[in-house]
Amino acid sequence: MANFILRKAESKDVSDILRLIKELAKYEEMEEQVVLTEKDLLEDGFGDHPFYHCFVAEVPKDQQSSEGYTVVGFAMYYFTYDPWIGKLLYLEDFYVMEEFRGFGIGSQILKVLSETAVKTRCSSMHFIVAENNTQSIDFYKRRGASDLSLEEGWRLFAIQKEELLKITAK
Amino acid sequence: MEYKLRKAEPKDVSDILRLVKELAKYEAMEHQVALTEKELLEDGFGDTPLYHCILAEVQGEQSGEDPKVIGFAMYYFTYDPWSGKQLHLEDFFVMEEYRGHGIGSEILKQLSDLAMKTRCHGMQFIVAEDNEPSISFYKRRGAEDLSTAEGWRLFRFTENSLYKMAASTEE
């Protein structure tokens, strides 16, 4: 196998995007946390103000997955802002279906993301990885990524909706 | 103490940069601030703002003096593929001599209001593990440490690595 293309996601891709989001969540053992719907993805990604952008990897029909899918990988990203250095590209989700790994699809996706970051004058690309995901950590470190949680002690915090509502009611 | 909270305007970029540097100094990383007022202006007040700011302002000490900006929060919207829109709180700081008057709480309340109004599913932010006063401040208000609870670590590719990957012709 070797034939694949990378392209910008279109509105028709939301069902594949959701499927791959769920597969990645399952890989991270958090599948039950995915509450997003295709409708949300459509409005939020392909409306007047997109909140995210996606690249998808597609194979020809004759190389489709065992379940008949031709969209076999994706990367979801958006732009953030670091008050020390400015615009950043934030890689939110990045996944290639298991049966299509080892063919350079992931590397190619990362290359296109890097080109995008450079073209759009981003100073850096940031992303979050689970500490037990050693395969992904190696993949990124081989390409020059550094672990800022380790080097600079940053931790990710969240205030969920129920708690936000409590704060607004005070 | 009397203060008011308002949306930042283009004229505020100099105060925003000053407070960004004060917060970086508090985190012992002041030398890492490379951003300029010009960039803050273009990036925050152009056609597509990359960030938004709420400012806290007090009256000048003497009559006739301009109000003084003594605190700020910088935020933008991100996307969680599991639940959708999130508010990301990037920087949040009140000058030392103005703490203890509820300004930080009020800023967080406004941000929470905004998150709800804009249909966000949550607010996320990054804290340095040794910043105990801030960690307590957030935990008292219901924040969870996802790095501890779920093992997430923040990674980065710097410009050099990006250039290398963009230019590469092989795996």
Coordinates of all heavy atoms in Angstrom, one line a residue, chain B residues 44-80:
Chain B
G44 N -4.5 41.3 18.2 CA -5.7 41.4 19.0 C -6.8 42.3 18.5 O -8.0 42.1 18.9
F45 N -6.5 43.2 17.6 CA -7.4 44.2 17.2 C -7.5 44.3 15.7 O -7.9 45.4 15.2 CB -7.1 45.5 17.9 CG -7.2 45.4 19.4 CD1 -6.0 45.2 20.1 CD2 -8.4 45.5 20.1 CE1 -6.0 45.0 21.5 CE2 -8.4 45.3 21.5 CZ -7.2 45.1 22.2
G46 N -7.2 43.3 15.0 CA -7.3 43.3 13.5 C -8.6 42.7 13.1 O -9.5 42.6 13.9
D47 N -8.7 42.1 11.9 CA -9.9 41.6 11.4 C -10.3 40.3 12.1 O -11.5 40.0 12.4 CB -9.8 41.2 9.9 CG -9.7 42.5 9.0 OD1 -10.4 43.4 9.4 OD2 -8.9 42.5 8.0
T48 N -9.3 39.4 12.4 CA -9.5 38.2 13.1 C -8.7 38.2 14.4 O -7.6 37.7 14.4 CB -9.1 37.0 12.2 OG1 -9.5 37.2 10.9 CG2 -9.7 35.7 12.8
P49 N -9.3 38.7 15.5 CA -8.5 38.7 16.7 C -8.1 37.3 17.1 O -8.9 36.4 17.1 CB -9.5 39.3 17.7 CG -10.6 39.9 17.0 CD -10.6 39.2 15.6
L50 N -6.8 37.1 17.5 CA -6.3 35.9 17.9 C -6.5 35.7 19.4 O -6.3 34.6 20.0 CB -4.8 35.7 17.6 CG -4.6 35.6 16.1 CD1 -3.1 35.7 15.8 CD2 -5.1 34.3 15.5
Y51 N -6.8 36.8 20.1 CA -7.0 36.7 21.6 C -8.0 37.9 21.9 O -8.2 38.8 21.2 CB -5.7 36.9 22.3 CG -5.1 38.3 22.3 CD1 -5.5 39.3 23.2 CD2 -4.2 38.7 21.2 CE1 -5.0 40.6 23.1 CE2 -3.8 40.0 21.2 CZ -4.1 40.9 22.1 OH -3.7 42.2 22.0
H52 N -8.5 37.8 23.2 CA -9.4 38.8 23.7 C -8.9 39.1 25.1 O -8.3 38.2 25.8 CB -10.8 38.3 23.8 CG -11.3 37.8 22.5 ND1 -11.8 38.5 21.5 CD2 -11.4 36.5 22.1 CE1 -12.2 37.8 20.5 NE2 -11.9 36.5 20.8
C53 N -9.1 40.3 25.6 CA -8.7 40.7 27.0 C -9.8 41.3 27.8 O -10.6 42.2 27.2 CB -7.5 41.6 26.9 SG -5.9 40.9 27.0
I54 N -9.9 41.0 29.1 CA -10.7 41.8 30.0 C -9.7 42.5 30.9 O -8.7 41.9 31.3 CB -11.5 40.8 30.9 CG1 -12.6 40.2 30.1 CG2 -12.2 41.6 32.1 CD1 -13.4 39.2 30.9
L55 N -9.9 43.8 31.1 CA -9.0 44.6 32.0 C -9.7 45.0 33.3 O -10.9 45.2 33.3 CB -8.5 45.8 31.3 CG -7.8 45.6 29.9 CD1 -7.4 47.0 29.4 CD2 -6.6 44.7 30.1
A56 N -8.9 45.1 34.3 CA -9.4 45.7 35.6 C -8.7 47.0 35.8 O -7.5 47.1 35.6 CB -9.1 44.8 36.8
E57 N -9.5 48.0 36.1 CA -9.1 49.4 36.1 C -9.5 50.1 37.4 O -10.6 49.9 37.9 CB -9.7 50.1 35.0 CG -9.0 51.3 34.4 CD -9.7 51.8 33.2 OE1 -10.9 52.2 33.3 OE2 -9.0 51.9 32.1
V58 N -8.5 50.8 38.0 CA -8.9 51.6 39.2 C -8.8 53.1 38.9 O -8.0 53.5 38.0 CB -8.1 51.3 40.5 CG1 -8.3 49.8 40.9 CG2 -6.6 51.6 40.2
Q59 N -9.4 53.9 39.7 CA -9.3 55.4 39.5 C -7.9 55.8 39.8 O -7.3 55.3 40.7 CB -10.3 56.1 40.4 CG -11.7 56.2 39.8 CD -11.7 56.8 38.4 OE1 -11.9 56.1 37.4 NE2 -11.4 58.1 38.3
G60 N -7.4 56.9 39.2 CA -6.1 57.5 39.5 C -6.1 57.9 41.0 O -7.2 58.3 41.5
E61 N -5.0 57.9 41.6 CA -4.9 58.3 43.0 C -5.2 59.8 43.3 O -5.9 60.1 44.2 CB -3.5 58.0 43.6 CG -3.5 56.6 44.2 CD -2.2 55.9 43.9 OE1 -1.2 56.6 43.6 OE2 -2.2 54.6 43.9
Q62 N -4.7 60.6 42.4 CA -5.1 62.0 42.5 C -6.2 62.4 41.5 O -6.3 61.8 40.4 CB -3.9 62.9 42.3 CG -3.0 63.1 43.5 CD -1.7 62.6 43.4 OE1 -1.1 62.7 42.3 NE2 -1.2 61.9 44.4
S63 N -6.9 63.4 41.8 CA -8.0 63.9 40.9 C -7.3 64.3 39.6 O -6.3 64.9 39.6 CB -8.9 65.0 41.5 OG -8.1 66.1 41.6
G64 N -7.9 64.0 38.5 CA -7.4 64.4 37.2 C -6.4 63.4 36.6 O -6.0 63.5 35.4
E65 N -6.1 62.4 37.4 CA -5.1 61.4 36.9 C -5.9 60.3 36.1 O -7.1 60.0 36.5 CB -4.5 60.7 38.2 CG -3.0 60.6 38.0 CD -2.4 59.9 39.3 OE1 -2.6 58.6 39.3 OE2 -1.9 60.6 40.1
D66 N -5.3 59.8 35.1 CA -5.9 58.7 34.3 C -6.2 57.5 35.2 O -5.4 57.2 36.1 CB -5.0 58.4 33.2 CG -5.0 59.4 32.0 OD1 -6.0 60.1 32.0 OD2 -4.1 59.4 31.3
P67 N -7.2 56.7 34.8 CA -7.4 55.4 35.5 C -6.2 54.5 35.2 O -5.5 54.7 34.2 CB -8.7 54.9 34.9 CG -9.2 55.9 33.9 CD -8.2 57.0 33.8
K68 N -6.0 53.6 36.1 CA -4.8 52.7 36.0 C -5.3 51.3 35.8 O -6.1 50.8 36.5 CB -4.0 52.9 37.3 CG -2.6 52.3 37.2 CD -1.8 52.6 38.5 CE -0.5 51.8 38.5 NZ 0.0 51.5 39.8
V69 N -4.7 50.6 34.8 CA -5.0 49.2 34.6 C -4.1 48.4 35.5 O -2.9 48.4 35.5 CB -4.7 48.8 33.1 CG1 -4.9 47.3 32.9 CG2 -5.6 49.6 32.2
I70 N -4.8 47.6 36.4 CA -4.1 46.9 37.4 C -4.3 45.3 37.4 O -3.8 44.6 38.2 CB -4.5 47.4 38.8 CG1 -6.0 47.4 39.0 CG2 -3.9 48.8 39.0 CD1 -6.6 46.2 39.6
G71 N -5.0 44.9 36.4 CA -5.2 43.4 36.2 C -5.8 43.1 34.9 O -6.3 44.0 34.2
F72 N -5.6 41.8 34.4 CA -6.1 41.5 33.1 C -6.3 40.0 33.0 O -5.7 39.2 33.8 CB -5.2 42.0 32.0 CG -4.0 41.0 31.7 CD1 -3.8 40.5 30.4 CD2 -3.1 40.7 32.7 CE1 -2.7 39.7 30.1 CE2 -2.0 39.8 32.4 CZ -1.8 39.3 31.1
A73 N -7.1 39.6 32.1 CA -7.2 38.2 31.7 C -7.2 38.1 30.2 O -7.9 38.9 29.5 CB -8.5 37.6 32.2
M74 N -6.4 37.3 29.6 CA -6.3 37.1 28.1 C -6.9 35.7 27.8 O -6.5 34.7 28.5 CB -4.9 37.2 27.7 CG -4.7 36.9 26.2 SD -3.0 36.8 25.6 CE -2.6 38.5 25.4
Y75 N -7.8 35.6 26.9 CA -8.5 34.3 26.6 C -8.7 34.2 25.1 O -8.7 35.2 24.4 CB -9.7 34.2 27.4 CG -10.8 35.2 27.0 CD1 -11.8 34.9 26.1 CD2 -10.8 36.5 27.6 CE1 -12.8 35.8 25.7 CE2 -11.8 37.4 27.2 CZ -12.8 37.1 26.3 OH -13.7 38.0 25.9
Y76 N -9.0 33.0 24.7 CA -9.5 32.8 23.3 C -10.3 31.5 23.3 O -10.4 30.8 24.4 CB -8.3 32.7 22.3 CG -7.1 31.9 22.8 CD1 -7.1 30.5 22.7 CD2 -6.0 32.6 23.3 CE1 -6.0 29.8 23.2 CE2 -4.9 31.8 23.8 CZ -4.9 30.5 23.7 OH -3.8 29.8 24.2
F77 N -10.9 31.2 22.2 CA -11.7 30.0 22.1 C -11.0 28.8 21.5 O -10.3 29.0 20.5 CB -13.0 30.3 21.4 CG -13.9 31.3 22.1 CD1 -13.8 32.7 21.7 CD2 -14.6 31.0 23.2 CE1 -14.5 33.6 22.4 CE2 -15.4 31.9 23.9 CZ -15.3 33.3 23.5
T78 N -11.1 27.6 22.1 CA -10.5 26.5 21.5 C -11.6 25.4 21.3 O -12.8 25.7 21.4 CB -9.4 25.9 22.5 OG1 -10.0 25.6 23.7 CG2 -8.3 26.9 22.7
Y79 N -11.1 24.2 20.8 CA -12.1 23.2 20.5 C -11.7 21.9 21.0 O -10.6 21.4 20.7 CB -12.3 23.1 18.9 CG -13.6 22.6 18.5 CD1 -14.8 23.3 18.7 CD2 -13.7 21.3 18.0 CE1 -16.0 22.9 18.3 CE2 -15.0 20.8 17.6 CZ -16.1 21.6 17.8 OH -17.3 21.1 17.4
D80 N -12.6 21.3 21.8 CA -12.4 19.9 22.4 C -13.1 19.0 21.5 O -14.4 19.0 21.4 CB -12.9 19.9 23.8 CG -12.7 18.6 24.5 OD1 -12.5 17.6 23.7 OD2 -12.8 18.5 25.7

